[in-house]
Amino acid sequence: MSAGRSGDAPAVPSTPQAAASRFTGRTVTASRPLTGTLTEVSLDDGRVVVVKRGDRPDALRAEAAGLRWLADAGTVRVPRVHGHDGRWLVTDRVPDGRPGERAALRFGRDLAALHLSGAPAFGSPPPGGCEDAYIGLAPMRNATGDDWPRWYAEHRVLPYLRRAVDDGVLRPGEAAVIEDVLERLPELAGPAEPPARLHGDLWNGNVLWGADGQVHLIDPAAHGGHRETDLAMLRLFGCPHLQRVLDGYREVSPLADGWQERIGLHQLFPLLVHAVLFGRGYAEQALAAARTALR
């Protein structure tokens, strides 16, 4: 049956150029590949968009919903979503700039305001998002809970701890150290916090320093979570002018006493994800973070 007949779903575009044209309504004038999955496309009105190819439809849906949820808070800057389908996601391109202290300070303030905009529960997905979502290439289940230590153990750390043991990346005796941390989470987690609206995968690669002098965030794994998790991710792989980011953050939303000692707790999940995806070195980092937390 022809895809063009009345009542049929529109055909999924077969190229990034066709996806850009479909979701912006403009004619494509030029394009160039950025990576194996990203293409920069220029339009006839002078705008430039980025087209992302995805092999998992739910991943693109989750990413688009996350970007829109972050944008709805009116705080941090994110690229506009023009549209998505089962294969493509089209967003505005962020022109490259240089990291700066003023941008870092403002980013910290905006990030605090984002977190304060809140979420219905720990683990709640963005409106229109997915319960079975992703963090990078890894699955991430957005089941909800109202107690952060229990939720974090059950729905973030334990699934990847078990997989790391099954894959031979962590030995059972080493996993027991992380399990000890999870048992003590209620006492180690610090004061109770309300669910924050998280980016969810806030490592340096997803923090773009724009030519407009502002920070823009991409590739979220957005959900309701603990605000210290985003800050721990910023520290995990390094972020330019991180101290200024933290200064700006605390101007808007002071952090609870002991937050620095809890960084390792919040890094356990991404470290175990990386251990499963990339190997033993990250498992050793997760083990070190767990041992530090138990001191």
Side-chain angles (χ1 to χ4, degrees):
M1 181 180 291
S2 169
R5 291 182 183 176
S6 176
D8 292 338
V12 175
S14 59
T15 66
Q17 295 82 0
S21 180
R22 173 181 171 185
F23 290 121
T24 64
R26 308 300 306 191
T27 299
V28 171
T29 59
S31 66
R32 68 183 181 99
L34 300 176
T35 69
T37 58
L38 298 177
T39 301
E40 181 184 278
V41 177
S42 299
L43 306 174
D44 61 354
D45 60 359
R47 289 180 297 161
V48 180
V49 296
V50 171
V51 182
K52 183 175 186 177
R53 188 187 76 242
D55 298 323
R56 301 157 298 174
D58 284 349
L60 295 180
R61 173 185 162 200
E63 184 174 340
L67 287 169
R68 287 169 171 150
W69 194 44
L70 300 185
D72 286 347
T75 56
V76 296
R77 286 152 183 79
V78 298
R80 175 187 173 191
V81 176
H82 292 280
H84 66 95
D85 56 26
R87 188 175 182 187
W88 308 103
L89 170 66
V90 180
T91 63
D92 279 342
R93 178 184 178 273
V94 178
D96 294 335
R98 295 174 60 86
E101 291 193 4
R102 290 181 62 186
L105 189 68
R106 180 165 184 173
F107 169 46
R109 294 169 180 154
D110 292 344
L111 182 62
L114 173 71
H115 290 165
L116 288 171
S117 67
F122 296 112
S124 58
C130 313
E131 182 173 305
D132 292 316
Y134 294 87
I135 177 167
L137 298 174
M140 183 184 78
R141 188 163 184 267
N142 283 323
T144 60
D146 57 8
D147 176 76
W148 183 79
R150 184 182 301 113
W151 171 84
Y152 182 64
E154 181 178 353
H155 297 295
R156 290 296 181 263
V157 178
L158 278 174
Y160 275 92
L161 180 62
R162 292 167 182 146
R163 183 171 165 185
V165 173
D166 290 344
D167 291 351
V169 179
L170 267 178
R171 292 182 283 273
E174 294 171 330
V177 177
I178 297 175
E179 289 170 345
D180 287 345
V181 173
L182 299 184
E183 289 179 5
R184 292 181 54 190
L185 263 182
E187 66 180 272
L188 297 174
E193 296 258 358
R197 188 174 306 199
L198 297 191
H199 177 280
D201 192 11
L202 199 58
W203 72 287
N204 184 47
N206 290 338
V207 178
L208 303 185
W209 302 81
D212 58 359
Q214 306 289 347
V215 168
H216 302 250
L217 304 183
I218 61 170
D219 293 348
H223 63 280
H226 196 302
R227 62 190 180 128
E228 291 176 11
T229 299
D230 267 354
L231 301 180
M233 282 289 289
L234 280 176
R235 186 179 291 270
L236 183 57
F237 297 109
C239 176
H241 306 294
L242 179 57
Q243 188 55 52
R244 295 299 284 161
V245 175
L246 294 172
D247 289 344
Y249 190 100
R250 288 177 290 188
E251 285 180 13
V252 173
S253 184
L255 292 161
D257 290 345
W259 70 271
Q260 290 176 306
E261 286 71 42
R262 294 188 291 272
I263 289 172
L265 293 178
H266 293 272
Q267 291 177 344
L268 281 176
F269 171 57
L271 285 171
L272 287 170
V273 169
H274 278 71
V276 168
L277 293 177
F278 305 117
R280 174 69 185 176
Y282 289 106
E284 292 173 347
Q285 289 186 51
L287 189 59
R291 286 172 172 155
T292 298
L294 291 170
R295 289 176 186 168

